[in-house]
Amino acid sequence: MAEAIQKKLQAELEKYQQLQKDVSKSMSARQKLEAQLTENNIVKEELGLLDTQNTVYKLIGPVLVKQDLDEAKATVSKRLEYINGEIQRYETLLKEMERKSEQHREVLSSLQQEYQRAQGQAVGKA
Amino acid sequence: MSSLHDQMAATGKVKRSKDMPQGVGRLKEEHRKVVKDCRSQIEHWKKVENDYESLQDRLRTLPDKLSYDIMVPFGPLAFMPGKLVHTNELTVLLGDNWFAKCSAKQADDLVEHRKKHVKNALDDLQKVMKNFQNKADFTDDLEKLTGDTGDFVDIREKVINEEDVTKGKQRLAHKPNSKPKQEYLLELEDDKEKKEDDEERKTGVLSEEELWARLDELEREEELQDERYRLDSTDTNGEDTTSSSEEEKEADGGSDVQVNGHQKENGWVQSSITSQMNGTNGSHPEDEEDCDEETGNGLPTIYFSHTAEFKKVRINTGKNTTLKFSQRTEQKAQAKRKKKSGKTNGHSPHESYKFTSPADIYRVFVDLVNGEPIPRKSILKSRSRENSVCSDTSESSTADFEERRAAFGRSWSHDDTTHSDTSDGITEEESPTGTSPRTNGRFEAFTGTVIEKDPLPCSIPHLTIAPPALPTIPERKLEEVGSETPQEAPKRISKFKATRLHQK
């Protein structure tokens, strides 16, 4: 009886750990996105400070490709929107994972209690 | 696995008992970590800012020459002499793999814009650091507080017998629905039953007379008690104006409430009111209580108790002053007050202080100048100022004081007078509140009732509102003030008073 509980406990624990890892991964991804967000904001502002006389280049691989200022502005805005969307997605994902991990935690604690009781009984018997 | 769980269970139980210090320690650790992180980040951002500064300098000097002779790095190990040309053309990285060709000046503007961001980040970090620093300090204090160390002391009072606190006797006249009124009502009821007009009137009159007789009786009793306590007391400093104290007694709560907003004052107010009500209780809110220091179980606790004894206490608020209030804790009070400089004068002991309002306290504080009692300007400030250049201790100062008191009084008096209109004075209202904290047995720092209202500017409504039947003290005071105000104009008025007068 105790062994069965033990096995269950172990399985549950593994699942919980996996979930925790996923959570941390999503967290780091989200942080990266946040950094990109601030950066793109700065780029947008600085593009605003320039005028058409300046040539804008985009680094694509080893190549600096000439871009139009307006094009560049549009591209940056689109990128910003994309980043915001991604952040939202990650937010929901994170919440979902948090909820699941909570459930797992509860299951784990209940299993643990059962196990302790079983242990106690086993000790009593023995 | 099983052993692990056992350990967990065991540690869990153990942890509970040692939770507090461990928890606090852990909290402190976390706080310190955050503070350290903040510090390192601030360092980093400061470096960035410095870099930008030097970059700006370079940008400003670069276009000075058309070309510069420089040593060009050639691979990782060599340099080559060369020239730096097109000194005004710069390719700037805007971020996220975007570049822009611009002039030095434009680059300068971009750098300026970036520096702003850096500054914002720095400010935020500073704020966070400060917050966490405060949190860490607070947890330190918390630890001290809950532990046995530190200067924190728990003060407790055990109220054994509630009757002792209230002294059993209460001034009936100051309580709502107190006996005299009831008598009156009873009389009326009797009259109604009789249904005879003449008799009604007669009995009505009688009940009033009975009322007054009862009041006088109570006053006399209180005086007797006061005298008894006075005889017992060791410190009989206090000079006073028995006349004024009697006035206080007569005034049925119709006096001005001259609250100067000071906690001590209010403490006195509270006690004065309660004293008047109870007649004999001299205990104060815990500002001046007898303390026996005992080290309690976790925290050093001070147990103090109120006594029924009425003893004079000397308040060192300066020479020639004293507050005649009975208290057993005068020693502690003295010790406290010795710290605040001040000397007190010994004055004749004949007072029985019935305080109906804070104003009455002022009346008690009277200086003996040339053998005459003169009321003081401020009972909290030390006398030393009186001898200084800025304040004059002449009659004018007392006049000043009167006016100031009245000025204050005017601002607060509406309260009083309206109260006196409606019921039998503030004391009735305040008395229940006065007793309730007492009867709770728990003492808070300040349990006075301070009724605040907007100061209304003139004395005329004040006068009209005051009930004509009772010779209320406010009226008398106003008369005094009135007589003295013409003298006031040439006299020096303190800034504080001036602003108050202006506000009025």
Side-chain angles (χ1 to χ4, degrees):
Chain A
M1 179 59 183
E3 286 185 8
I5 297 176
Q6 199 177 346
K7 278 201 198 120
K8 260 200 264 176
L9 200 60
Q10 248 174 326
E12 197 59 43
L13 203 66
E14 276 174 17
K15 270 194 251 167
Y16 183 69
Q17 281 171 349
Q18 186 59 35
L19 204 62
Q20 285 293 93
K21 273 194 219 145
D22 291 339
V23 166
S24 61
K25 255 197 272 174
S26 313
M27 280 285 277
S28 60
R30 186 168 171 275
Q31 280 172 353
K32 242 199 316 178
L33 280 174
E34 292 235 6
Q36 283 185 354
L37 184 78
T38 39
E39 199 182 0
N40 273 284
N41 269 321
I42 293 182
V43 171
K44 190 165 177 210
E45 284 167 20
E46 289 186 352
L47 278 175
L49 286 173
L50 293 172
D51 56 17
T52 39
Q53 195 254 322
N54 314 98
T55 36
V56 181
Y57 298 92
K58 179 129 174 92
L59 184 71
I60 302 177
V63 182
L64 268 181
V65 180
K66 199 161 159 188
Q67 296 273 344
D68 201 13
L69 183 67
D70 298 325
E71 261 185 63
K73 282 191 195 166
T75 315
V76 171
S77 314
K78 267 193 229 144
R79 182 145 174 83
L80 264 174
E81 281 174 30
Y82 170 73
I83 291 172
N84 276 319
E86 286 284 291
I87 287 179
Q88 293 291 334
R89 197 168 63 85
Y90 271 100
E91 282 273 303
T92 46
L93 208 66
L94 227 57
K95 262 192 228 158
E96 189 62 37
M97 278 200 257
E98 189 62 45
R99 210 171 45 79
K100 267 194 242 166
S101 70
E102 192 64 42
Q103 279 176 358
H104 274 261
R105 234 176 287 161
E106 281 170 25
V107 171
L108 262 175
S109 62
S110 62
L111 272 177
Q112 203 175 1
Q113 279 177 12
E114 261 189 64
Y115 182 73
Q116 279 175 12
R117 253 184 285 134
Q119 282 287 65
Q121 281 179 10
V123 167
K125 277 183 205 166
Chain B
M1 191 71 173
S2 58
S3 61
L4 186 89
H5 286 300
D6 286 335
Q7 272 177 16
M8 277 166 68
T11 50
K13 278 182 198 153
V14 170
K15 203 177 184 238
R16 242 168 273 132
S17 61
K18 295 184 196 164
D19 235 356
M20 190 53 182
Q22 269 190 12
V24 172
R26 179 101 195 288
L27 193 65
K28 271 201 279 186
E29 276 284 319
E30 292 292 317
H31 282 320
R32 289 213 189 101
K33 234 205 294 181
V34 173
V35 171
K36 242 197 275 183
D37 283 341
C38 276
R39 281 219 180 91
S40 64
Q41 286 214 355
I42 285 176
E43 285 273 327
H44 169 257
W45 283 114
K46 278 216 174 101
K47 199 156 136 307
V48 168
E49 199 177 12
N50 285 334
D51 286 345
Y52 273 128
E53 294 274 328
S54 50
L55 180 65
Q56 270 187 317
D57 288 338
R58 173 61 73 236
L59 285 174
R60 282 175 200 140
T61 59
L62 206 56
D64 288 348
K65 284 191 359 186
L66 277 172
S67 62
Y68 290 92
D69 290 320
I70 54 171
M71 291 300 275
V72 186
F74 210 66
L77 302 165
F79 289 90
M80 249 201 75
K83 275 199 157 124
L84 192 67
V85 294
H86 296 295
T87 50
N88 206 29
E89 290 166 45
L90 298 157
T91 307
V92 179
L93 170 67
L94 305 173
D96 194 26
N97 291 342
W98 286 98
F99 289 83
K101 261 206 168 49
C102 31
S103 72
K105 265 235 180 96
Q106 286 168 330
D108 196 28
D109 291 336
L110 285 171
V111 170
E112 200 61 50
H113 173 256
R114 282 188 207 173
K115 270 205 311 192
K116 247 196 276 178
H117 273 275
V118 170
K119 268 207 185 84
N120 286 337
L122 260 176
D123 288 340
D124 289 340
L125 279 172
Q126 295 275 19
K127 267 189 236 169
V128 169
M129 198 176 78
K130 227 201 292 186
N131 272 334
F132 274 92
Q133 192 66 43
N134 289 338
K135 279 190 200 171
D137 291 338
F138 178 69
T139 49
D140 271 340
D141 287 343
L142 187 71
E143 199 179 20
K144 264 196 262 172
L145 192 68
T146 52
D148 287 344
T149 60
D151 302 330
F152 295 96
V153 163
D154 196 14
I155 301 178
R156 285 190 208 143
E157 184 195 355
K158 290 179 180 165
V159 177
I160 306 162
N161 192 358
E162 304 233 330
E163 275 190 26
D164 288 346
V165 172
T166 60
K167 271 290 166 181
K169 245 184 206 172
Q170 312 231 336
R171 282 195 73 149
L172 299 171
H174 295 289
K175 291 195 94 164
N177 307 322
S178 57
K179 200 179 163 192
K181 273 189 177 171
Q182 285 170 359
E183 283 175 356
Y184 188 79
L185 286 169
L186 283 169
E187 298 278 338
L188 279 175
E189 283 177 15
D190 290 340
D191 298 341
K192 278 178 192 167
E193 286 172 10
K194 289 177 191 171
K195 286 183 183 176
E196 292 174 20
D197 294 340
D198 292 341
E199 281 187 26
E200 266 186 20
R201 248 177 276 133
K202 246 193 192 175
T203 46
V205 166
L206 272 175
S207 65
E208 268 187 61
E209 284 177 0
E210 276 182 41
L211 229 170
W212 286 112
R214 181 109 182 88
L215 266 174
D216 292 334
E217 233 184 272
L218 289 169
E219 283 171 8
R220 256 176 269 129
E221 278 170 8
E222 284 174 16
E223 275 188 59
L224 284 171
Q225 277 175 340
D226 285 352
E227 289 211 25
R228 251 185 280 134
Y229 292 130
R230 244 177 281 122
L231 288 172
D232 290 344
S233 75
T234 54
D235 266 4
T236 55
N237 293 343
E239 108 153 335
D240 190 293
T241 54
T242 44
S243 60
S244 70
S245 65
E246 277 167 2
E247 284 174 9
E248 291 164 23
K249 281 187 222 156
E250 285 173 3
D252 217 4
S255 53
D256 294 352
V257 179
Q258 291 177 356
V259 182
N260 69 2
H262 201 274
Q263 179 172 341
K264 197 166 164 196
E265 281 295 307
N266 291 328
W268 282 118
V269 172
Q270 176 60 16
S271 51
S272 74
I273 289 161
T274 52
S275 81
Q276 194 154 20
M277 294 196 352
N278 305 329
T280 52
N281 189 6
S283 45
H284 277 277
E286 44 301 2
D287 282 350
E288 300 123 49
E289 255 83 37
D290 214 5
C291 303
D292 307 323
E293 292 227 18
E294 295 178 23
T295 48
N297 308 333
L299 215 51
T301 46
I302 296 176
Y303 293 93
F304 65 82
S305 57
H306 288 87
T307 60
E309 300 249 335
F310 224 64
K311 280 197 182 179
K312 294 297 173 201
V313 80
R314 194 196 309 160
I315 306 295
N316 294 350
T317 52
K319 19 177 203 174
N320 298 338
T321 62
T322 167
L323 180 61
K324 315 282 263 306
F325 210 82
S326 306
Q327 252 228 0
R328 194 210 254 182
T329 63
E330 63 186 50
Q331 282 141 1
K332 183 160 167 51
Q334 277 184 27
K336 261 195 200 169
R337 268 152 210 109
K338 270 171 191 164
K339 289 183 203 167
K340 318 173 186 173
S341 66
K343 311 147 204 167
T344 58
N345 231 354
H347 289 285
S348 65
H350 278 281
E351 316 83 23
S352 30
Y353 283 82
K354 299 303 156 236
F355 294 95
T356 53
S357 66
D360 303 342
I361 303 166
Y362 271 100
R363 225 173 288 111
V364 168
F365 271 101
V366 165
D367 299 339
L368 258 190
V369 176
N370 303 328
E372 282 182 15
I374 292 172
R376 280 200 55 171
K377 252 193 237 190
S378 159
I379 61 179
L380 294 176
K381 295 190 180 154
S382 73
R383 257 352 208 165
S384 58
R385 250 199 121 227
E386 286 209 317
N387 297 328
S388 71
V389 179
C390 53
S391 63
D392 33 0
T393 53
S394 57
E395 289 270 295
S396 63
S397 70
T398 54
D400 232 7
F401 159 67
E402 283 288 312
E403 201 219 2
R404 234 204 306 173
R405 259 198 317 152
F408 247 134
R410 251 172 258 133
S411 62
W412 293 107
S413 63
H414 274 276
D415 229 338
D416 254 43
T417 49
T418 47
H419 281 297
S420 60
D421 278 340
T422 54
S423 59
D424 273 347
I426 296 179
T427 50
E428 288 198 26
E429 279 191 40
E430 292 178 320
S431 59
T433 54
T435 43
S436 58
R438 220 153 270 297
T439 50
N440 282 345
R442 292 205 115 263
F443 284 80
E444 295 139 20
F446 165 52
T447 53
T449 54
V450 178
I451 305 165
E452 289 201 20
K453 276 195 184 172
D454 296 312
L456 294 177
C458 49
S459 57
I460 298 166
H462 177 80
L463 281 168
T464 53
I465 289 171
L470 291 170
T472 53
I473 293 182
E475 281 180 347
R476 262 185 251 135
K477 264 201 218 136
L478 280 170
E479 288 166 29
E480 293 171 2
V481 170
S483 63
E484 287 172 356
T485 38
Q487 296 175 15
E488 282 311 312
K491 305 283 179 358
R492 279 191 60 226
I493 310 175
S494 71
K495 265 193 294 185
F496 181 60
K497 193 169 60 159
T499 48
R500 240 186 305 115
L501 292 177
H502 279 303
Q503 277 172 9
K504 276 180 29 213

